[in-house]
Amino acid sequence: MDEIKYRPIGVIHSPYRKIEGIPIQAASAKGIDGTVEVFPEYAEGLKDLDAFSHIILIYHFHLSKRFKLMIKPYMDDKLRGVFATRAPSRPNSIGISIVHLIGIEKNVLHVRDIDIMDGTPLLDIKPYVPEFDMRKVEKTGWLERNVHKLPTSKDDGRFAK
């Protein structure tokens, strides 16, 4: 298969300047503000986005140095398959976060509940639509016993080494 290449369309800014201590999911980053700078050549694509309260940011985990197919995730002490986790060290280092869109000024999005490292390359933005994106879930795998750890789980830098 041919190689797939992406170009960033912007850069994400947040208060997180080092990996250690970043919330591991947007759900545990309540009230944390950031901005998303969309490069000027893509600014026209922001038209009508301000009508949505939440957006999905798709980005590149640029500080993830390597991947393993078996990893120890943040909220567990057992090795798990990488595809059964949301760890940043993946064969394709792509991350997603759902954030609250506060407002837009020209090519800058003001967002809240951000769990992303400052300077992260932005690949895409999509509107979050509950009717499209929410599903009734029957099971959540190994996380079912561990999701209670989310509010206190923070990035410890293990995937950037």
Side-chain angles (χ1 to χ4, degrees), residues 117-128:
M117 180 76 179
D118 186 61
T120 296
L122 176 70
L123 299 178
D124 202 358
I125 303 167
K126 296 183 184 286
Y128 176 82

Side-chain angles (χ1 to χ4, degrees), residues 37-63:
E37 175 190 355
V38 174
F39 296 146
E41 60 267 32
Y42 300 105
E44 184 179 7
L46 298 173
K47 183 181 182 313
D48 303 316
L49 188 63
D50 60 354
F52 295 87
S53 68
H54 289 76
I55 56 175
I56 302 167
L57 300 178
I58 302 168
Y59 49 91
H60 174 66
F61 284 121
H62 65 295
L63 299 177

